Amino acid sequence: MERDDESNGPMMELCTNGGGEETSNRRPIITGEPLDIEAYAAMYKGRTKIMRLLFIANHCGGGNQTMQLEALRMAYDEVKKGENTQLFRDVVSKINGRLGDKYGMDSAWCEMIDRRAEQRKGKLENELSSYRTNLIKESIRMGHNDFGDFYYACGLLNEAFKNYIKTRDYCTTAKHIIHMCMNAILVSIEMGQFSHVSSYVNKVDQNPETLDPIVAAKLRCASGLAHLELKKYKLAARKFLDVNPELGSSYNEVIAPQDVATYGGLCALASFDRSELKASRYASCLEYLGSLRANLLLDIHLHDHVDTLYDQIRKKALIQYTLPFVSVDLSRMADAFKTSVSGLEKELEALITDDQIQARIDSHNKILYARHADQRSATFQKVLQMGNEFDRDVRSMMLRANLLKHEYHAKGRKP
């Protein structure tokens, strides 16, 4: 291959295990090994933990019954810690007796939880009625908030959202508004209503000076998820990459720190241009990304985007690989990208047709030749254009000066 010395620029570096002394003792964000469900689930809490386990059970494939049953077993244990009897019944239905009597239907538990929920609901209704009678604004706000918490715990997300929003009319401080918005964002993410997520993130961002670093980091995570859902990968990458490390595991009812890094990294690789990325070994990282694919497809937020992201990353890798060279041996390039020469030709032809690669293919000799612009000709053309523009401007100024010198004034026509 012949290198074009004029073509150099920074790209993103993606190492397979995070490399370097300071990261060598950390657990990798995600590996190509079979998913450790227990370690994965331990990163989350609350409803998202259960929903992620159920997502794995639904998408791990019929041939991996061991993983499926392990996810269902953990979901069963987790859901019994809460108050969502309908979700419990759904989990039992999915297990379908495959885990034995210990993980079967527990009607007594359901009846106890439902009875307790009715009692709790009655108490909350009486308290809220009393607050409204006495016109105690702060108490009314707290009453609606308690109702939101109650419905969220029971799995009635629409009712939870409505009650959280009702607190808006009784908010008296910026802290109250932030609390209301964060609750609305949480429920909206669970419902998959990402337009609501963006709306309430923007509402909080109107007063950034009132935000502490943790809340700001949570908002960036939520905004990143909303952009990811809308396939706005570049915006998603920026939000995830801007998350303050102080976030830690404080938002694990929604997202884990490893998710922030994984989502941000993939979106950046797929969408950032050459000037926005640091040094990268694209060809070598594609194989590593391929080993992660199966596990990424089990992620509740990434699942629908893996194919698109991988396709964009591969196209970018092909483009970046060819940039430094005047000519490229297609056989060597095919080896680097673990593909056949004919398959590589088709990929390159598509990129050339889309004008993403400025090159031509010698199909007989299997060589890609770059079509770099004639820099000398381009420079002469630019200088000539600037000269013409300068000549025009000087002539215009001289004409105006002469008109002023001879006191020539064009008078408007009388109406």
Side-chain angles (χ1 to χ4, degrees):
M1 299 183 188
E2 297 180 30
R3 180 176 292 276
D4 181 357
D5 292 332
E6 292 182 359
S7 298
N8 53 26
M11 293 184 288
M12 177 182 241
E13 181 167 9
L14 182 64
C15 300
T16 57
N17 237 355
E21 291 184 8
E22 59 184 38
T23 59
S24 60
N25 295 323
R26 297 181 186 176
R27 182 175 61 186
I29 294 171
I30 191 168
T31 72
E33 300 297 322
L35 185 64
D36 184 338
I37 299 180
E38 187 172 354
Y40 176 79
M43 298 192 297
Y44 308 97
K45 69 178 182 181
R47 182 182 172 87
T48 194
K49 181 175 183 176
I50 300 168
M51 300 313 294
R52 284 174 180 268
L53 287 168
L54 292 178
F55 188 88
I56 290 171
N58 291 335
H59 292 83
C60 65
N64 199 339
Q65 190 176 32
T66 301
M67 178 182 286
Q68 183 185 56
L69 292 178
E70 176 66 7
L72 290 173
R73 181 189 66 77
M74 295 183 65
Y76 183 100
D77 291 337
E78 192 66 28
V79 78
K80 285 200 77 173
K81 297 175 184 178
E83 303 169 30
N84 192 338
T85 55
Q86 183 56 54
L87 186 56
F88 174 76
R89 293 184 178 94
D90 292 342
V91 172
V92 171
S93 176
K94 291 179 184 297
I95 292 173
N96 195 26
R98 291 177 293 169
L99 291 173
D101 294 340
K102 183 179 178 182
Y103 290 92
M105 186 62 195
D106 189 343
S107 299
W109 179 83
C110 289
E111 291 173 4
M112 179 190 69
I113 294 298
D114 287 340
R115 185 169 57 251
R116 186 188 300 168
E118 283 299 317
Q119 294 171 351
R120 173 68 174 157
K121 183 179 179 182
K123 181 181 178 183
L124 290 174
E125 287 174 344
N126 291 334
E127 289 177 349
L128 184 57
S129 178
S130 174
Y131 298 150
R132 284 172 171 165
T133 300
N134 296 320
L135 298 176
I136 307 174
K137 197 168 185 178
E138 172 60 10
S139 296
I140 296 173
R141 184 186 72 83
M142 290 301 298
H144 283 303
N145 194 75
D146 289 342
F147 253 119
D149 292 344
F150 167 76
Y151 283 123
Y152 181 76
C154 294
L156 302 173
L157 299 183
N158 280 317
E159 293 301 318
F161 182 78
K162 290 176 185 177
N163 277 274
Y164 285 139
I165 297 307
K166 286 179 182 178
T167 65
R168 176 177 50 196
D169 296 332
Y170 305 96
C171 292
T172 56
T173 68
K175 187 176 181 180
H176 291 166
I177 294 174
I178 292 171
H179 187 257
M180 180 272 294
C181 289
M182 295 306 294
N183 284 332
I185 289 169
L186 172 63
V187 180
S188 296
I189 290 173
E190 294 285 355
M191 293 192 297
Q193 299 290 336
F194 287 95
S195 60
H196 289 166
V197 174
S198 297
S199 175
Y200 285 99
V201 167
N202 292 336
K203 187 175 182 65
V204 180
D205 277 342
Q206 290 174 4
N207 299 295
E209 66 279 356
T210 63
L211 301 178
D212 64 56
I214 300 299
V215 172
K218 289 180 178 181
L219 291 172
R220 291 190 181 100
C221 288
S223 184
L225 289 175
H227 289 310
L228 176 63
E229 181 65 23
L230 295 173
K231 293 182 170 57
K232 296 179 179 179
Y233 299 127
K234 192 166 189 175
L235 292 175
R238 294 200 181 283
K239 291 298 181 181
F240 288 126
L241 296 178
D242 283 344
V243 172
N244 193 315
E246 292 181 28
L247 176 71
S249 59
S250 63
Y251 206 29
N252 60 359
E253 67 270 28
V254 171
I255 194 170
Q258 288 88 337
D259 295 331
V260 175
T262 302
Y263 299 173
L266 285 174
C267 289
L269 283 172
S271 62
F272 281 9
D273 58 39
R274 188 175 179 85
S275 64
E276 295 171 302
L277 298 172
K278 296 180 181 178
S280 177
R281 298 184 292 275
Y282 257 109
S284 63
C285 87
L286 282 176
E287 184 177 3
Y288 175 64
L289 287 174
S291 71
L292 303 183
R293 187 187 187 90
N295 286 346
L296 294 176
L297 285 169
L298 297 177
D299 184 278
I300 196 168
H301 293 297
L302 270 184
H303 177 268
D304 292 334
H305 306 279
V306 171
D307 289 342
T308 302
L309 288 170
Y310 270 49
D311 182 60
Q312 291 186 14
I313 290 171
R314 182 172 180 82
K315 286 180 178 178
K316 188 175 291 292
L318 291 168
I319 294 168
Q320 304 287 14
Y321 187 95
T322 64
L323 281 177
F325 304 107
V326 173
S327 63
V328 178
D329 185 321
L330 295 187
S331 297
R332 293 178 63 183
M333 187 175 178
D335 290 339
F337 283 86
K338 301 295 186 292
T339 187
S340 64
V341 173
S342 60
L344 178 63
E345 276 193 73
K346 291 180 180 178
E347 290 185 89
L348 292 173
E349 285 170 7
L351 291 170
I352 292 171
T353 302
D354 290 341
D355 207 28
Q356 296 186 60
I357 291 181
Q358 306 296 321
R360 61 182 177 85
I361 298 174
D362 181 345
S363 296
H364 178 71
N365 294 310
K366 303 303 179 186
I367 296 176
L368 178 80
Y369 291 102
R371 285 203 304 260
H372 293 297
D374 185 340
Q375 295 296 331
R376 174 180 290 184
S377 176
T379 301
F380 279 132
Q381 289 295 326
K382 187 174 181 179
V383 170
L384 182 60
Q385 180 183 354
M386 291 175 65
N388 289 334
E389 291 174 355
F390 179 76
D391 181 68
R392 182 193 63 201
D393 292 342
V394 170
R395 288 177 181 274
S396 296
M397 287 189 290
M398 291 177 65
L399 175 60
R400 185 171 187 276
N402 282 324
L403 291 173
L404 292 174
K405 178 180 178 181
H406 295 285
E407 298 182 351
Y408 179 82
H409 302 284
K411 297 181 180 179
R413 183 177 299 175
K414 293 183 179 180

